[in-house]
Amino acid sequence: MAKEGLTAFAAVNRYFEEAAGLVHLDDALYAVLTSTYREISVQIPVRLDDGRLIVARGYRVQHNGARGPYKGGIRYHPTANLEEVRALSALMTWKTALLGLPFGGAKGGIEVDPTGMSTGELQRMTKRFTSAIAHILGVYRDIPAPDMNTNAQTMAWMMDAYSAVHGYSPAIVTGKPLDLGGAPGREAATGRGVVYVLEAYAAQHGMDLAGLRLAIQGFGNVGSWVAREAVARGAVVVAVSDVAGGVRHDKGVDVDRLVAVAAAGGRVPETDQPGVDKISNDELLEAECDVLVPAALGEVIDGDNAARVRASVVVEAANYPVTPAGDKVLGDRGIPVVPDILANAGGVTGSYFEWTQNIQQFTWKEDRFNDELRDRLRAAYQATAATAAELGCTLRQAAFAIGIRKVAEADRLRGYV
Ligand code: NAD
């Protein structure tokens, strides 16, 4: 990803710099925190079912580990190049610090289009990738999780490849299937967390979720759970999309029907709900609504289309969906942005709960998981809003400022710098 002359990593560092200035960060730490600790790039030969061999490229980037083991998802996507993975690893550092989780930041990816790959091909690719990066993983070193185009099954394969060498190690990955040490609540945690953060935002602004109109881009793990949880609280999802395009209905799209379509392998535009209009992804981002929730790719709102956003607030469920130029346009227009490192932090917070349960070999009930999730996200929102008021800055700058202070202090206390 590179847009408006900035690579994704440069753009995340632009956000970092804005906040670092506000907290008067030491120059020496500046250089440490705008670069990554370790990056590996590996070759992944995969034998396809028809006998052909493809060679994919995989990455794992560890950004900062001062506060705990590296933590971050693995995505399979044609744009998952080193620069994008760097950017996403840095976001994980600021996210885990903002939430006060005992983790650092990392991210991984395979630069591949997994669409159309068979289960066997995906399994072989995942296990080869895991073996290639296993020397930098560990229950107290680096713990992957799912992200775009990866899921609980992918994590089960990763756990198996790692455990084959190191012995039974469920805590080596999070987002696992329940039968392999996954935590009830983790699958929904990112999307549910987005709604908890939205609730906290609404409460601060004297609003109620009931009746709020949402437009959601992306109907995978995150987008579909945002839709379900929002509707359960009386909100109305007026537009939704996936890679194939979107649908809109002013009275609300039928989320249950869309979930059923997706579960059967169908795409959002294939829903047969009467009265829905078909829309493109560009139209979704410009749909009339109260809350715009990008929950798919990065860089979808930029300096151009930000001028046409018709929401009252943007809640970043995806990672890095708004470029710095887009952020400025939204800010100038008075449209607040709830930043990714806060809005989608339910995923890594849920992963933290899963990891601790694996280590303790003690399982929580889902109610406890959801209660803890809600409390931590609400507290993180309130701390961010208070810091924004204290520093006179945006929610994004405040969220980064909180994270930067914590990581800088950990680096200093450990004598890293
Ligand atoms: P997913 O693979 O389950 O779903 C992705 C969705 O995006 C699908 O509906 C897909 O059709 C859609 N999509 C793909 N390309 C698109 C395009 N060009 N235009 C519109 N839609 C497109 O992935 P996910 O886990 O739901 O992740 C979505 C976003 O949330 C990513 O940015 C990811 O980094 C972020 N995120 C995920 C988690 C998690 O726990 N899964 C946690 C934090 C952040």
Side-chain angles (χ1 to χ4, degrees), residues 73 75-77 88 92 95 107 145-151 186-191 217-224 241-245 262 267-268 281 294-298 300 316-321 340 343-348 351:
R75 66 169 53 174
Y76 293 171
H77 200 272
L88 297 168
M92 289 305 296
K95 193 181 302 183
K107 201 79 180 189
D147 194 75
M148 282 192 81
N149 295 323
T150 57
N151 55 25
R186 171 62 186 91
E187 195 211 316
T190 309
Q217 181 183 53
F219 203 71
N221 172 281
V222 180
S224 67
S241 70
D242 66 11
V243 66
R267 299 293 194 186
V268 165
N281 264 293
L297 296 178
V300 292
E316 295 185 335
N319 281 309
Y320 179 49
D340 44 13
N344 70 34
V348 70
S351 281

Side-chain angles (χ1 to χ4, degrees), residues 7-277:
T7 66
F9 189 41
V12 169
N13 279 337
R14 178 75 61 86
Y15 288 139
F16 165 86
E17 283 159 17
E18 287 176 11
L22 291 171
V23 297
H24 310 295
L25 185 73
D26 198 82
D27 281 351
L29 270 168
Y30 210 84
V32 168
L33 299 179
T34 50
S35 56
T36 61
Y37 171 65
R38 174 156 51 187
E39 306 180 337
I40 61 174
S41 160
V42 293
Q43 182 186 59
I44 312 168
V46 188
R47 184 68 64 185
L48 300 182
D49 295 343
D50 64 8
R52 282 181 302 129
L53 187 82
I54 60 162
V55 182
R57 180 110 325 241
Y59 306 99
R60 185 71 177 169
V61 174
Q62 298 171 336
H63 177 259
N64 186 286
R67 300 185 59 267
Y70 299 97
K71 187 87 190 81
I74 304 276
R75 66 169 53 174
Y76 293 171
H77 200 272
T79 68
N81 56 39
L82 189 53
E83 198 64 4
E84 180 186 89
V85 177
R86 281 182 184 132
L88 297 168
S89 74
L91 286 175
M92 289 305 296
T93 298
W94 310 126
K95 193 181 302 183
T96 52
L98 171 64
L99 267 290
L101 306 176
F103 291 131
K107 201 79 180 189
I110 303 182
E111 203 170 343
V112 72
D113 185 358
T115 337
M117 285 178 81
S118 72
T119 303
E121 290 165 350
L122 288 169
Q123 178 174 172
R124 290 194 287 280
M125 182 171 77
T126 301
K127 289 195 170 179
R128 180 62 77 112
F129 176 55
T130 309
S131 304
I133 64 168
H135 59 292
I136 63 161
L137 302 182
V139 170
Y140 293 101
R141 288 182 180 275
D142 187 342
I143 308 135
D147 194 75
M148 282 192 81
N149 295 323
T150 57
N151 55 25
Q153 175 61 76
T154 322
M155 295 304 110
W157 292 327
M158 290 195 80
M159 176 198 149
D160 181 73
Y162 187 86
S163 297
V165 177
H166 298 273
Y168 180 66
S169 312
I172 189 61
V173 285
T174 55
K176 295 179 294 292
L178 296 183
D179 287 333
L180 281 179
R186 171 62 186 91
E187 195 211 316
T190 309
R192 188 169 282 151
V194 170
V195 174
Y196 289 150
V197 172
L198 178 59
E199 271 181 328
Y201 173 90
Q204 193 206 1
H205 292 84
M207 301 187 308
D208 194 341
L209 245 60
L212 271 191
R213 293 166 311 137
L214 273 66
I216 304 172
Q217 181 183 53
F219 203 71
N221 172 281
V222 180
S224 67
W225 277 106
V226 171
R228 272 182 264 195
E229 292 289 309
V231 166
R233 288 162 178 76
V236 183
V237 176
V238 291
V240 76
S241 70
D242 66 11
V243 66
V247 291
R248 175 173 56 202
H249 195 307
D250 287 342
K251 294 206 168 62
V253 298
D254 184 338
V255 169
D256 287 343
R257 198 183 286 228
L258 282 164
V259 168
V261 168
R267 299 293 194 186
V268 165
E270 291 162 22
T271 180
D272 58 356
Q273 187 188 347
V276 298
D277 294 327

